[in-house]
Amino acid sequence: MAEKPDPETGFLEQLGQRVRTTRSLRGMSRKVLAKVSGISERYIAQLESGKGNVSIVLLRRVSQAMGAHIEDLIPDGEPRPDWPVIRDLLRKATPSQIAQAKDILSGYGASVHRAPAFAGIALIGLRGAGKSTLGRILAKKLGWSFVELNKEVETQNGLSVAEIIALYGQEGFRRMEQAALKQLLARKELMVLATGGGIVSEPLTFDLILSSFYTIWIKADPEEHMRRVRKQGDLRPMADDRSAMAELRNILVSREPLYSRAAAVVDTAGLSVDAAAARLVDSVRPVLQNEARSFGLRSVAV
């Protein structure tokens, strides 16, 4: 019977797994992460394999010796005195209590369950799934506007996505993405929204998508994703990376649990555009009928 790893080895292995998963959620290869962080690709590989620098373990020992959480020792802006109390209360809270706290922090109040206005259909999934192509077809059939969130971000900020990331980093882009989404929702117009593949990595923005739209995961096989992306001449963020397919698989595996939170899944693998569009239209019929009854929307024949 194999021996269990000692706690410190297990800690480094879990840390490596979290770094690898977070990197994949962000859609970054090791090469890109190394370039952006200024850390060698070799060290990142060691970290992800569970062989991180021993100083990480020493910091963990210090925190344990004081009966503290390791995150309490890592500076992140101005300290908030109440944060440790809030964090510990959340760890002990029931699902119902967490839902109430979430509503309060979102500005909806604790006594009334939030019910955002129905904003339309949102399509999520990796690049190359067909979100833009199918979204345009669906929007035209419904008579709604079609919006690509990334293009909305570019329009509102006067910069391309690549320029935004170069100037402000991933964090800056995610802030602008959330702001653009809120401005779209403020229009109170029904739309078909095509989102960027990595939107699921930003919890608050993705939660806003899920609560405001009927969300559909446009799914395809990794090989089909890669073939479509190459056909578009777009390999962001895996350009010149020999392990692009392996990275794409890792991204898909890391994001699948989040994509699976969508209300419906439309698998486009092996389908023509017309066949995939027909499948997408079929998937929205029930929700459109339900929303028409619930909110008095004009009935749409699809």
Side-chain angles (χ1 to χ4, degrees):
M1 183 175 178
E3 292 184 4
K4 291 184 178 180
D6 65 83
E8 292 183 351
T9 299
F11 169 74
L12 288 176
E13 289 176 350
Q14 289 178 18
L15 175 64
Q17 176 63 46
R18 289 191 178 192
V19 171
R20 184 166 58 252
T21 298
T22 301
R23 175 174 62 79
S24 295
L25 281 174
R26 300 292 183 185
M28 303 176 78
S29 66
R30 283 181 184 162
K31 181 177 293 185
V32 170
L33 179 57
K35 182 178 180 181
V36 173
S37 67
I39 298 172
S40 73
E41 190 175 347
R42 179 182 177 185
Y43 176 74
I44 292 172
Q46 289 177 334
L47 181 63
E48 291 186 351
S49 66
K51 298 179 175 64
N53 194 298
V54 70
S55 61
I56 300 173
V57 173
L58 297 180
L59 179 61
R60 182 170 181 262
R61 288 185 193 176
V62 170
S63 68
Q64 288 180 331
M66 296 187 295
H69 295 282
I70 192 169
E71 62 263 30
D72 291 340
L73 307 183
I74 301 173
D76 183 20
E78 289 297 319
R80 297 182 179 182
D82 291 335
W83 168 241
V85 176
I86 295 171
R87 180 201 58 212
D88 290 346
L89 287 172
L90 283 173
R91 283 182 170 140
K92 298 175 182 177
T94 65
S96 175
Q97 289 172 325
I98 290 174
Q100 289 181 356
K102 183 179 173 184
D103 283 346
I104 292 173
L105 293 173
S106 299
Y108 293 100
S111 59
V112 180
H113 182 70
R114 61 173 170 166
F118 177 66
I121 309 293
L123 307 181
I124 64 173
L126 286 181
R127 286 179 293 118
K131 292 171 294 184
S132 295
T133 300
L134 298 179
R136 287 191 182 91
I137 294 173
L138 180 61
K140 184 176 181 180
K141 193 168 186 66
L142 297 177
W144 297 356
S145 59
F146 171 72
V147 180
E148 288 184 272
L149 187 54
N150 279 358
K151 289 188 176 179
E152 192 68 21
V153 172
E154 292 178 335
T155 299
Q156 291 186 15
N157 294 280
L159 296 167
S160 69
V161 169
E163 289 170 333
I164 291 171
I165 293 176
L167 289 170
Y168 305 105
Q170 284 279 349
E171 185 179 354
F173 170 72
R174 294 303 172 195
R175 285 198 307 269
M176 295 179 190
E177 181 182 55
Q178 187 177 121
L181 176 60
K182 288 181 177 178
Q183 288 191 38
L184 284 173
L185 292 174
R187 297 177 189 175
K188 300 187 184 303
E189 298 175 358
L190 291 172
M191 70 187 79
V192 175
L193 179 72
T195 66
I199 198 167
V200 295
S201 66
E202 183 54 48
L204 291 177
T205 306
F206 187 40
D207 185 67
L208 190 55
I209 291 284
L210 293 173
S211 62
S212 304
F213 295 86
Y214 184 75
T215 308
I216 301 174
W217 175 15
I218 305 298
K219 185 179 181 182
D221 294 332
E223 292 79 10
E224 199 145 10
H225 279 293
M226 182 61 75
R227 184 164 58 251
R228 293 170 183 173
V229 168
R230 289 188 186 281
K231 189 175 180 180
Q232 296 167 4
D234 178 12
L235 288 179
R236 297 177 294 113
M238 297 176 288
D240 303 320
D241 194 328
R242 294 179 180 178
S243 59
M245 179 55 75
E247 292 290 351
L248 183 61
R249 290 183 186 279
N250 287 336
I251 290 171
L252 185 56
V253 168
S254 297
R255 290 179 182 172
E256 270 188 345
L258 296 172
Y259 287 149
S260 296
R261 294 180 64 194
V265 180
V266 171
D267 195 334
T268 66
L271 298 181
S272 66
V273 171
D274 289 342
R279 184 172 290 184
L280 176 59
V281 169
D282 286 342
S283 74
V284 304
R285 280 196 176 98
V287 71
L288 290 179
Q289 293 169 356
N290 181 62
E291 294 299 336
R293 287 193 299 267
S294 300
F295 296 100
L297 301 177
R298 177 177 62 85
S299 180
V300 179
V302 290

Coordinates of all heavy atoms in Angstrom, one line a residue, residues 19-33 36 126-127 165 170 174 197-201 235-239 241 244 247-252 254-255 259:
V19 N -2.1 26.4 -9.1 CA -1.5 27.3 -10.1 C -1.8 26.8 -11.5 O -2.1 27.6 -12.4 CB 0.1 27.3 -9.8 CG1 0.8 28.0 -11.0 CG2 0.4 27.9 -8.5
R20 N -1.7 25.5 -11.7 CA -1.9 25.0 -13.1 C -3.4 25.2 -13.5 O -3.6 25.6 -14.6 CB -1.6 23.5 -13.1 CG -1.7 22.8 -14.5 CD -1.0 21.4 -14.5 NE -1.6 20.5 -13.5 CZ -1.0 20.1 -12.4 NH1 0.3 20.6 -12.1 NH2 -1.5 19.3 -11.5
T21 N -4.3 25.0 -12.6 CA -5.7 25.1 -12.9 C -6.0 26.6 -13.2 O -6.7 26.9 -14.1 CB -6.6 24.6 -11.7 OG1 -6.4 23.2 -11.6 CG2 -8.1 24.9 -12.0
T22 N -5.5 27.5 -12.3 CA -5.7 28.9 -12.5 C -5.1 29.4 -13.8 O -5.8 30.2 -14.5 CB -5.1 29.7 -11.3 OG1 -5.7 29.3 -10.1 CG2 -5.4 31.2 -11.5
R23 N -4.0 28.9 -14.2 CA -3.3 29.3 -15.4 C -4.2 28.9 -16.6 O -4.4 29.6 -17.6 CB -1.9 28.7 -15.5 CG -1.3 28.9 -16.9 CD 0.2 28.4 -16.9 NE 0.3 27.0 -16.7 CZ 0.0 26.0 -17.6 NH1 -0.4 26.4 -18.8 NH2 0.2 24.8 -17.3
S24 N -4.7 27.7 -16.5 CA -5.6 27.2 -17.6 C -6.9 27.9 -17.7 O -7.4 28.2 -18.8 CB -5.8 25.7 -17.4 OG -4.7 24.9 -17.5
L25 N -7.5 28.3 -16.5 CA -8.7 29.1 -16.5 C -8.5 30.4 -17.2 O -9.4 30.9 -17.9 CB -9.2 29.3 -15.1 CG -9.9 28.2 -14.4 CD1 -10.2 28.5 -12.9 CD2 -11.2 27.9 -15.1
R26 N -7.3 31.0 -17.0 CA -7.0 32.3 -17.7 C -6.6 32.1 -19.1 O -6.4 33.1 -19.8 CB -5.8 32.9 -16.9 CG -6.1 33.2 -15.4 CD -7.2 34.3 -15.3 NE -7.4 34.6 -13.9 CZ -8.4 35.4 -13.4 NH1 -9.2 36.0 -14.3 NH2 -8.5 35.7 -12.2
G27 N -6.5 30.9 -19.6 CA -6.1 30.6 -21.0 C -4.7 31.0 -21.3 O -4.3 31.4 -22.4
M28 N -3.8 30.8 -20.3 CA -2.4 31.1 -20.5 C -1.5 29.9 -20.6 O -1.7 28.9 -19.8 CB -1.9 32.0 -19.3 CG -2.7 33.2 -19.1 SD -2.1 34.2 -17.7 CE -0.7 35.0 -18.3
S29 N -0.5 29.8 -21.5 CA 0.4 28.8 -21.6 C 1.5 29.1 -20.5 O 1.6 30.2 -20.0 CB 1.1 28.7 -22.9 OG 1.8 29.9 -23.2
R30 N 2.4 28.1 -20.2 CA 3.5 28.4 -19.3 C 4.4 29.5 -19.9 O 4.9 30.3 -19.1 CB 4.3 27.1 -19.1 CG 3.7 26.2 -18.1 CD 4.5 25.0 -17.9 NE 3.9 24.0 -17.1 CZ 4.3 22.7 -17.0 NH1 5.3 22.3 -17.7 NH2 3.6 21.8 -16.2
K31 N 4.6 29.4 -21.2 CA 5.5 30.4 -21.8 C 4.9 31.8 -21.6 O 5.7 32.8 -21.3 CB 5.6 30.1 -23.3 CG 6.5 31.0 -24.1 CD 6.7 30.6 -25.5 CE 7.4 29.3 -25.6 NZ 7.7 28.9 -27.0
V32 N 3.6 32.0 -21.8 CA 3.0 33.3 -21.7 C 3.1 33.8 -20.2 O 3.4 34.9 -19.9 CB 1.5 33.3 -22.2 CG1 0.8 34.6 -21.8 CG2 1.5 33.1 -23.7
L33 N 2.8 32.8 -19.3 CA 2.8 33.2 -17.9 C 4.2 33.6 -17.5 O 4.4 34.5 -16.7 CB 2.3 32.0 -17.0 CG 2.4 32.2 -15.5 CD1 1.5 33.4 -15.1 CD2 1.9 30.9 -14.8
V36 N 4.9 37.2 -18.8 CA 4.1 38.2 -18.1 C 4.6 38.4 -16.7 O 4.7 39.5 -16.2 CB 2.6 37.9 -18.1 CG1 1.8 38.9 -17.2 CG2 2.1 37.9 -19.5
L126 N -15.2 27.9 -25.3 CA -13.9 28.2 -25.8 C -13.9 28.9 -27.2 O -14.9 28.8 -27.9 CB -13.1 27.0 -26.0 CG -12.5 26.3 -24.7 CD1 -11.7 25.0 -25.1 CD2 -11.7 27.2 -23.9
R127 N -12.9 29.6 -27.5 CA -12.7 30.2 -28.8 C -12.8 29.0 -29.9 O -12.3 27.9 -29.6 CB -11.4 30.9 -29.0 CG -11.3 32.2 -28.3 CD -9.9 32.8 -28.5 NE -8.9 32.0 -27.8 CZ -7.9 31.5 -28.4 NH1 -7.7 31.5 -29.7 NH2 -7.0 30.8 -27.7
I165 N -4.8 44.4 -22.5 CA -4.0 43.5 -21.7 C -2.6 43.9 -21.6 O -2.0 43.8 -20.5 CB -4.2 42.0 -22.3 CG1 -5.6 41.5 -22.2 CG2 -3.2 41.1 -21.6 CD1 -5.8 40.2 -22.8
Q170 N -4.3 41.3 -17.3 CA -5.5 40.5 -17.3 C -6.5 41.1 -16.3 O -7.7 41.2 -16.6 CB -5.2 39.1 -16.9 CG -4.6 38.2 -18.0 CD -5.6 37.7 -19.0 OE1 -6.8 37.8 -18.7 NE2 -5.1 37.2 -20.1
R174 N -10.3 42.3 -17.1 CA -11.5 41.8 -16.5 C -12.4 42.9 -15.9 O -13.6 42.8 -15.8 CB -11.1 40.8 -15.4 CG -10.4 39.5 -16.0 CD -11.3 38.8 -17.0 NE -10.6 37.7 -17.7 CZ -11.0 37.2 -18.8 NH1 -12.1 37.5 -19.4 NH2 -10.3 36.2 -19.4
G197 N -14.0 33.4 -24.1 CA -13.9 32.1 -23.5 C -13.5 32.1 -22.1 O -13.9 31.2 -21.3
G198 N -12.7 33.1 -21.6 CA -12.2 33.2 -20.3 C -13.1 33.9 -19.3 O -12.7 34.1 -18.1
I199 N -14.3 34.2 -19.7 CA -15.2 35.0 -18.8 C -15.5 34.2 -17.5 O -15.8 34.8 -16.5 CB -16.5 35.5 -19.5 CG1 -17.1 36.6 -18.7 CG2 -17.4 34.3 -19.7 CD1 -18.2 37.3 -19.5
V200 N -15.5 32.9 -17.6 CA -15.8 32.0 -16.5 C -14.8 32.1 -15.4 O -15.0 31.7 -14.3 CB -16.0 30.6 -16.9 CG1 -17.2 30.4 -17.9 CG2 -14.8 30.0 -17.6
S201 N -13.6 32.7 -15.7 CA -12.6 32.7 -14.7 C -12.7 33.9 -13.8 O -12.0 34.1 -12.8 CB -11.2 32.8 -15.4 OG -11.0 34.0 -16.1
L235 N -4.3 32.5 -32.7 CA -3.8 31.5 -31.7 C -3.6 32.1 -30.3 O -2.9 31.6 -29.5 CB -2.5 30.9 -32.2 CG -2.6 30.0 -33.4 CD1 -1.2 29.5 -33.8 CD2 -3.5 28.8 -33.1
R236 N -4.2 33.3 -30.1 CA -4.1 33.9 -28.7 C -4.7 32.9 -27.7 O -5.8 32.3 -27.9 CB -5.0 35.2 -28.6 CG -4.5 36.3 -29.5 CD -5.5 37.5 -29.3 NE -6.8 37.1 -29.8 CZ -7.9 37.0 -29.1 NH1 -7.8 37.2 -27.8 NH2 -9.0 36.7 -29.6
P237 N -4.1 32.7 -26.6 CA -2.8 33.3 -26.2 C -1.7 32.2 -26.3 O -0.8 32.2 -25.5 CB -3.1 33.6 -24.7 CG -4.0 32.5 -24.3 CD -4.8 32.1 -25.5
M238 N -1.8 31.3 -27.3 CA -0.9 30.2 -27.4 C 0.0 30.3 -28.6 O 0.4 29.3 -29.2 CB -1.7 28.9 -27.4 CG -2.4 28.7 -26.1 SD -3.4 27.2 -26.1 CE -4.7 27.7 -27.2
A239 N 0.2 31.5 -29.2 CA 1.0 31.7 -30.4 C 2.4 31.1 -30.2 O 3.0 31.3 -29.2 CB 1.0 33.1 -30.8
D241 N 3.5 28.3 -29.7 CA 3.7 27.3 -28.6 C 3.5 25.9 -29.2 O 2.4 25.6 -29.6 CB 2.6 27.6 -27.5 CG 3.0 26.8 -26.2 OD1 3.6 25.7 -26.3 OD2 2.7 27.3 -25.1
A244 N 0.5 23.7 -28.1 CA -0.8 24.4 -28.1 C -1.9 23.5 -27.9 O -2.9 23.8 -27.1 CB -0.9 25.1 -29.4
E247 N -2.1 22.5 -24.3 CA -2.6 23.6 -23.5 C -4.1 23.8 -23.6 O -4.8 24.1 -22.7 CB -1.9 24.9 -23.9 CG -0.4 24.9 -23.5 CD -0.1 25.0 -22.0 OE1 -1.1 25.2 -21.3 OE2 1.0 24.8 -21.6
L248 N -4.6 23.6 -24.9 CA -6.0 23.8 -25.1 C -6.8 22.7 -24.4 O -7.9 23.0 -23.8 CB -6.3 23.7 -26.6 CG -7.7 23.9 -27.1 CD1 -8.2 25.3 -26.8 CD2 -7.9 23.6 -28.6
R249 N -6.3 21.5 -24.3 CA -7.0 20.5 -23.6 C -7.0 20.8 -22.1 O -8.0 20.6 -21.4 CB -6.3 19.1 -23.8 CG -6.5 18.5 -25.2 CD -5.8 17.2 -25.3 NE -5.8 16.7 -26.6 CZ -6.8 16.1 -27.2 NH1 -8.0 15.9 -26.5 NH2 -6.8 15.6 -28.4
N250 N -5.9 21.3 -21.6 CA -5.8 21.7 -20.1 C -6.8 22.8 -19.8 O -7.5 22.8 -18.8 CB -4.4 22.2 -19.8 CG -3.4 21.0 -19.7 OD1 -3.8 19.9 -19.5 ND2 -2.2 21.3 -19.9
I251 N -6.9 23.8 -20.8 CA -7.9 24.9 -20.6 C -9.3 24.4 -20.5 O -10.1 24.7 -19.7 CB -7.7 25.9 -21.7 CG1 -6.4 26.7 -21.6 CG2 -8.9 26.9 -21.7 CD1 -6.1 27.6 -22.8
L252 N -9.6 23.5 -21.5 CA -11.0 22.9 -21.5 C -11.3 22.1 -20.3 O -12.4 22.3 -19.7 CB -11.1 22.0 -22.8 CG -12.5 21.5 -23.0 CD1 -13.5 22.6 -23.1 CD2 -12.5 20.7 -24.3
S254 N -10.0 22.5 -17.3 CA -10.1 23.4 -16.1 C -11.4 24.2 -16.1 O -12.0 24.4 -15.1 CB -8.9 24.4 -16.1 OG -7.7 23.7 -16.0
R255 N -11.9 24.5 -17.3 CA -13.1 25.3 -17.4 C -14.4 24.5 -17.5 O -15.4 25.1 -17.3 CB -13.0 26.2 -18.7 CG -11.9 27.3 -18.6 CD -11.9 28.2 -19.8 NE -10.9 29.2 -19.8 CZ -10.5 30.0 -20.8 NH1 -11.1 29.8 -22.0 NH2 -9.6 30.9 -20.7
Y259 N -18.1 25.9 -17.3 CA -19.0 25.9 -18.4 C -20.3 25.1 -18.2 O -21.4 25.4 -18.7 CB -18.3 25.4 -19.7 CG -17.2 26.3 -20.3 CD1 -16.1 25.7 -20.9 CD2 -17.3 27.6 -20.3 CE1 -15.1 26.5 -21.5 CE2 -16.4 28.5 -20.8 CZ -15.3 27.9 -21.4 OH -14.3 28.7 -22.0

